[in-house]
Amino acid sequence: EHGQVFTLIGTTGAGKTTTRRTLCGLLRPVTVTVTFDGVRLDQLKAHDIVTRGVAHATEGRRIFPNLTVEENISLFAFAAKASPKQIEERSYEQFPRLGERRTQLAGKLSGGEQQMLAMARALSSDPGILLLDELSMGLAPKIVEDLYEIVADIGRQGVSVLVVEQFARRALAVAQLGVVMVQGRVTAVGEPADIQDELSAAYLGGAA
């Protein structure tokens, strides 16, 4: 739904990456279709999917380290309806720390700031849905907490968010809906409180 935060959870090898790549057009499904806002996406190329309102902040951030913060954000603006100036203003309002570092090379940012930049760059395309892949990877718990507060705020602004996450508890805290995957199959779909048993089973009784 519009503005819904939706979390896809599973251990390594569960099928999260395959699902995410299929949604982005990096893999072509054989037996299913992918639609967003009534438009079929599975036969489109990846860059065309971006123009249809699907944006992706990838695992590992994949920013351009030798470009400035400002230049990184402008890269995705080709799909946006807003002007470059509006995109910049909106990005720095959402991520004030990036505004303070707008002329700094992205490779000089901290890990948390680089994740913010990856999110801001994806949001610059005016998406209807933002895909976030392993948001917490390699970051301190306090930084992860701050980033998930931003995720919740993005949802409140009307942008749907699909969070693909191995470490489940924090992601579910801001989600309205969760999906658990085990070995390529969906084993549970529901509100976070309703999938706790299945979540514990998926992680073999460990802390998720």
Side-chain angles (χ1 to χ4, degrees), residues 166-179:
Q166 181 173 352
F167 301 102
R169 302 294 183 193
R170 189 62 192 90
L172 283 174
V174 300
Q176 287 80 51
L177 192 67
V179 172

Side-chain angles (χ1 to χ4, degrees), residues 96-112:
R97 201 173 305 175
L98 297 182
E100 298 168 3
R101 292 159 173 74
R102 67 181 69 188
T103 61
Q104 186 171 326
L105 291 179
K108 301 294 186 180
L109 301 176
S110 69

Side-chain angles (χ1 to χ4, degrees), residues 57-207:
T58 64
E59 177 184 350
R61 298 147 206 163
R62 301 194 183 184
I63 58 170
F64 292 92
N66 294 325
L67 297 181
T68 66
V69 167
E70 198 169 58
E71 289 167 340
N72 267 272
I73 290 173
S74 69
L75 288 175
F76 278 30
F78 74 92
K81 297 176 183 177
S83 69
K85 181 175 177 57
Q86 289 173 320
I87 290 169
E88 280 190 48
E89 290 175 350
R90 186 175 59 201
S91 297
Y92 301 143
E93 182 179 354
Q94 184 102 60
F95 303 95
R97 201 173 305 175
L98 297 182
E100 298 168 3
R101 292 159 173 74
R102 67 181 69 188
T103 61
Q104 186 171 326
L105 291 179
K108 301 294 186 180
L109 301 176
S110 69
E113 290 166 348
Q114 289 184 8
Q115 185 64 71
M116 291 179 190
L117 179 56
M119 294 167 67
R121 188 177 62 178
L123 287 168
S124 73
S125 65
D126 283 334
I129 184 168
L130 173 64
L131 310 184
L132 294 175
D133 197 7
E134 301 293 357
L135 182 65
S136 62
M137 180 177 289
L139 298 178
K142 178 61 172 69
I143 300 298
V144 174
E145 185 83 15
D146 292 343
L147 288 173
Y148 270 110
E149 287 301 320
I150 295 172
V151 170
D153 186 57
I154 291 169
R156 286 191 290 267
Q157 294 174 18
V159 178
S160 302
V161 185
L162 171 59
V163 182
V164 178
E165 183 64 88
Q166 181 173 352
F167 301 102
R169 302 294 183 193
R170 189 62 192 90
L172 283 174
V174 300
Q176 287 80 51
L177 192 67
V179 172
V180 181
M181 293 189 76
V182 178
Q183 296 182 347
R185 296 184 179 275
V186 172
T187 59
V189 180
E191 295 181 5
D194 297 332
I195 63 172
Q196 292 300 323
D197 289 346
E198 190 65 40
L199 181 63
S200 297
Y203 285 86
L204 302 177

Side-chain angles (χ1 to χ4, degrees), residues 15-51:
K16 304 185 306 297
T17 298
T18 299
T19 302
R20 183 259 301 167
R21 288 178 176 172
T22 302
L23 296 177
C24 293
L26 301 177
L27 292 177
R28 185 66 57 85
V30 177
T31 59
V32 299
T33 60
V34 179
T35 61
F36 176 66
D37 269 355
V39 176
R40 185 169 171 179
L41 303 180
D42 53 279
Q43 296 181 330
L44 298 178
K45 294 181 179 179
H47 64 274
D48 292 322
I49 290 176
V50 174
T51 66

